[in-house]
């Protein structure tokens, strides 16, 4: 086994993606400098896959952290797998490359490893990330995502990104891209909410059949940010069965939730800005869940979505009306 790639999955374009990623999204009340500190800690602990996005508005800080860790000899640029995302206000084809170039400028990097469409629901172009009309309703845009995809393919050909993929796509939207006449590159991944309460088994099966990697966000539940989720949502990490399995292995429920994904072939994001938890979240490679454990966790599925994105629900490309 090639040790460098033993904790990675091979993508359909030949590149390798580490199976455990550090997520950099923070709620608005967290100072931007925290993202830099946490990213440095994550790299020190062993994380090599950094998941970020233009809309998180902290790429300058995250980029600085990566460059600091390259400068001090902890890592080389090629050791890091950096993901950024194309926000919904930049889905018109002519806006795609400038959006990626803006991220690269913020990061002060020459290329990213992965560039993905953040969400399929196009919104009015402009500087406003959530453009709203006078009544507070989002202003949507109409874009053919196949044309957006062609613009991503051009970014890959230009060397600005090594790989391209999507996020928050259902199987119908994926089919639309895959069946596009003249498709040059398939999406390497589809990043979606995925955890024991929403295990995405049908979407996972579909993606595996097309050699597309499923990447799990909100794998530990969610940050309980009131802007994005309901207050009375269940608390995944307090689940009785997860806790029983964790106790049996001498682990915590978060480690079990992360390990569950890795064992089913899902790349998983772990998001914490707390040093102790960042360390714990990385410690998932030295134990294994039994087939019985996996089955018990599968049994927790209730198709419960923490991040419902209902303000996009009227958009023609809203992905969550379909079962998967």
């Amino acid at each position: 086994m090639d040790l460098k790639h033993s904790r990675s999955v091979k993508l359909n374009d030949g590149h390798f993606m580490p199976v455990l990623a550090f997520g950099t999204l923070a709620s608005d009340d967290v100072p931007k400098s925290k993202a830099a500190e946490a990213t440095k800690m994550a790299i020190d602990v062993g994380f090599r896959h950094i998941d970020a996005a233009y809309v998180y508005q902290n790429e300058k800080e995250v980029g600085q952290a990566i460059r600091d860790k390259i400068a001090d000899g902890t890592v080389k640029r090629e050791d890091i797998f950096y993901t950024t995302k194309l926000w919904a206000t930049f889905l018109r084809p002519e806006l795609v490359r400038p959006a990626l170039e803006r991220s690269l400028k913020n990061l002060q990097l020459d290329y990213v490893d992965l560039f993905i469409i953040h969400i399929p629901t196009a919104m009015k172009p402009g500087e406003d990330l959530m453009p709203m009309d006078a009544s507070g309703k989002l202003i949507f845009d109409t874009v053919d995502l196949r044309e957006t995809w062609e613009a991503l393919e051009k970014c890959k050909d230009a060397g600005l990104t090594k790989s391209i993929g999507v996020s928050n796509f259902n199987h119908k939207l994926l089919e639309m891209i895959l069946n596009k006449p003249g498709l040059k590159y398939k999406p390497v991944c589809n990043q979606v909410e995925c955890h024991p309460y929403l295990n995405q088994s049908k979407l996972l099966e579909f993606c595996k059949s097309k050699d597309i990697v499923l990447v799990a966000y909100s794998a530990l539940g969610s940050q309980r940010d009131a802007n994005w989720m309901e207050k009375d949502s269940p608390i995944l990490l307090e689940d009785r069965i997860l806790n029983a399995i964790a106790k049996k292995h001498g682990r915590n429920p978060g480690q079990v939730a992360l390990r569950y994904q890795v064992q089913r072939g899902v790349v998983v994001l772990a998001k914490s800005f707390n040093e102790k938890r960042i360390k714990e979240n990385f410690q998932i490679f030295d134990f294994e869940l039994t087939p019985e454990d996996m089955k018990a966790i599968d049994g927790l599925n209730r198709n419960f979505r923490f991040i419902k994105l209902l303000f996009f629900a009227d958009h023609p490309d809203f992905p969550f009306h379909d079962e998967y």
Side-chain angles (χ1 to χ4, degrees):
M1 183 86 174
D2 175 356
L3 200 62
K4 181 167 167 14
H5 297 310
S6 63
R7 294 175 179 176
S8 298
V9 52
K10 191 174 187 180
L11 303 173
N12 63 37
D13 64 359
H15 292 295
F16 286 86
M17 175 193 275
V19 297
L20 179 61
F22 178 71
T24 60
L25 170 64
S27 50
D28 295 340
D29 56 347
V30 175
K32 299 265 183 263
S33 59
K34 273 270 181 258
E37 276 170 51
T39 303
K40 283 193 216 178
M41 273 184 245
I43 292 171
D44 283 337
V45 159
F47 281 92
R48 294 295 175 262
H49 180 170
I50 311 292
D51 181 83
Y54 178 75
V55 78
Y56 302 166
Q57 306 237 276
N58 57 12
E59 285 196 297
K60 278 190 175 138
E61 291 75 15
V62 173
Q64 184 65 57
I66 292 169
R67 286 181 293 113
D68 288 350
K69 286 282 117 193
I70 292 170
D72 75 9
T74 307
V75 287
K76 298 188 184 77
R77 171 63 188 93
E78 58 269 26
D79 298 330
I80 295 290
F81 187 100
Y82 184 89
T83 300
T84 191
K85 308 184 189 84
L86 178 71
W87 184 238
T89 50
F90 306 113
L91 294 189
R92 291 187 182 182
E94 67 275 14
L95 301 178
V96 172
R97 181 167 174 163
L100 176 52
E101 286 171 339
R102 191 189 287 197
S103 276
L104 288 169
K105 188 172 180 230
N106 285 338
L107 291 161
Q108 307 251 305
L109 295 175
D110 300 328
Y111 68 91
V112 296
D113 297 272
L114 177 62
F115 186 40
I116 63 182
I117 297 175
H118 202 148
I119 188 165
T121 47
M123 290 190 289
K124 175 179 171 251
E127 288 304 305
D128 196 351
L129 297 174
M130 295 292 268
M132 290 182 189
D133 63 18
S135 69
K137 264 188 73 107
L138 287 174
I139 306 168
F140 296 145
D141 194 18
T142 314
V143 173
D144 184 338
L145 292 167
R146 290 168 294 197
E147 292 179 0
T148 311
W149 186 253
E150 282 174 14
L152 269 86
E153 291 179 326
K154 287 181 181 145
C155 290
K156 177 174 162 71
D157 282 337
L160 299 177
T161 182
K162 302 261 187 194
S163 300
I164 50 177
V166 298
S167 177
N168 295 302
F169 273 44
N170 60 23
H171 83 285
K172 283 185 185 160
L173 289 167
L174 282 169
E175 287 274 14
M176 183 179 80
I177 302 288
L178 293 170
N179 296 331
K180 185 183 94 61
L183 181 73
K184 191 164 184 187
Y185 305 115
K186 283 176 20 171
V188 296
C189 69
N190 183 22
Q191 184 182 130
V192 295
E193 178 177 343
C194 184
H195 44 74
Y197 289 169
L198 178 73
N199 71 23
Q200 298 280 18
S201 55
K202 285 191 172 168
L203 187 59
L204 175 58
E205 200 178 325
F206 175 83
C207 286
K208 280 183 173 175
S209 76
K210 305 290 182 190
D211 199 13
I212 294 170
V213 171
L214 198 76
V215 180
Y217 71 75
S218 296
L220 300 172
S222 192
Q223 295 179 42
R224 312 200 75 73
D225 182 335
N227 294 324
W228 297 94
M229 67 183 280
E230 291 149 7
K231 285 190 180 61
D232 58 354
S233 299
I235 300 175
L236 176 73
L237 297 182
E238 289 179 5
D239 186 87
R240 195 173 49 81
I241 289 173
L242 270 189
N243 277 274
I245 292 170
K247 197 173 172 190
K248 183 178 84 172
H249 289 279
R251 298 286 164 158
N252 67 38
Q255 290 167 322
V256 171
L258 296 171
R259 180 73 203 179
Y260 167 69
Q261 299 293 7
V262 169
Q263 280 186 219
R264 57 204 290 258
V266 171
V267 169
V268 65
L269 310 187
K271 157 69 200 49
S272 174
F273 282 9
N274 169 299
E275 186 169 14
K276 177 173 176 282
R277 284 200 293 273
I278 291 172
K279 283 183 176 152
E280 288 171 350
N281 289 343
F282 194 74
Q283 289 161 358
I284 63 164
F285 297 108
D286 53 354
F287 77 106
E288 200 161 341
L289 298 170
T290 65
E292 294 74 36
D293 295 335
M294 293 295 288
K295 204 172 165 197
I297 300 170
D298 280 339
L300 299 176
N301 183 55
R302 45 172 108 164
N303 294 324
F304 177 82
R305 218 176 260 290
F306 287 103
I307 312 293
K308 296 184 170 65
L309 302 177
L310 292 176
F311 31 80
F312 293 117
D314 296 335
H315 196 290
D317 289 322
F318 183 68
F320 304 152
H321 292 316
D322 291 327
E323 185 196 353
Y324 72 99

